[in-house]
Amino acid sequence: MSKAFIAAVLQDSLACTGVAAGKAADDLVGAIVAELKQEGGFTLPSFGTFTVHKTKARKALNPRTGEPVKVKAGKTVRFKASPVLKKAV
């Protein structure tokens, strides 16, 4: 799914212009990102939960050369589907 797909669905649903639907899709994604940054999680009822998890620093291998590379600690987003979504799929 892409922002263009979300914008197209919004445009069809709301009978608005493509520009307005694109702006609404951008605002929706921006609001989700802001909530993840501020709260560390975001729940969309009957869809699922997005949570931010910290990753530890680790060693990895460069696939081309095979030499070891250090990977810094960071953050990643995990998703857990709701039971309603699991049942629908």
Side-chain angles (χ1 to χ4, degrees):
M1 183 184 324
S2 64
K3 270 199 259 186
F5 175 77
I6 294 171
V9 170
L10 289 172
Q11 184 178 4
D12 291 343
S13 178
L14 301 174
C16 63
T17 65
V19 173
K23 175 76 170 120
D26 285 339
D27 291 345
L28 175 66
V29 171
I32 292 171
V33 170
E35 186 71 13
L36 286 170
K37 283 183 180 179
Q38 185 178 8
E39 299 295 326
F42 174 76
T43 300
L44 194 58
S46 73
F47 186 70
T49 302
F50 296 88
T51 54
V52 177
H53 287 275
K54 293 181 181 179
T55 59
K56 295 180 181 180
R58 60 185 173 88
K59 293 181 183 177
L61 293 177
N62 183 334
R64 287 191 177 178
T65 62
E67 64 184 66
V69 178
K70 292 181 182 177
V71 179
K72 294 180 181 179
K75 295 179 183 177
T76 187
V77 177
R78 293 186 184 171
F79 175 74
K80 182 178 179 187
S82 73
V84 175
L85 180 62
K86 288 180 181 180
K87 189 174 182 179
V89 176

Short mmCIF file of all heavy atoms in Angstrom, two decimals, residues 20 33 68 86:
data_model
loop_
_atom_site.label_atom_id
_atom_site.label_comp_id
_atom_site.label_asym_id
_atom_site.label_seq_id
_atom_site.Cartn_x
_atom_site.Cartn_y
_atom_site.Cartn_z
N ALA A 20 -6.61 17.52 -2.59
CA ALA A 20 -7.10 17.48 -1.21
C ALA A 20 -6.91 16.09 -0.61
O ALA A 20 -6.52 15.96 0.55
CB ALA A 20 -8.57 17.89 -1.15
N VAL A 33 3.26 9.18 12.38
CA VAL A 33 4.69 9.27 12.68
C VAL A 33 4.91 10.12 13.94
O VAL A 33 5.70 9.76 14.82
CB VAL A 33 5.47 9.84 11.48
CG1 VAL A 33 6.90 10.18 11.86
CG2 VAL A 33 5.45 8.87 10.32
N PRO A 68 33.38 -8.05 8.55
CA PRO A 68 32.49 -7.64 9.65
C PRO A 68 32.23 -6.14 9.65
O PRO A 68 33.12 -5.35 9.31
CB PRO A 68 33.23 -8.05 10.90
CG PRO A 68 34.52 -8.62 10.48
CD PRO A 68 34.62 -8.60 9.00
N LYS A 86 -6.82 -10.33 11.77
CA LYS A 86 -6.38 -11.71 11.55
C LYS A 86 -7.52 -12.58 11.03
O LYS A 86 -7.34 -13.40 10.14
CB LYS A 86 -5.82 -12.31 12.84
CG LYS A 86 -4.48 -11.77 13.24
CD LYS A 86 -4.00 -12.41 14.52
CE LYS A 86 -2.67 -11.86 14.97
NZ LYS A 86 -2.21 -12.48 16.21
#
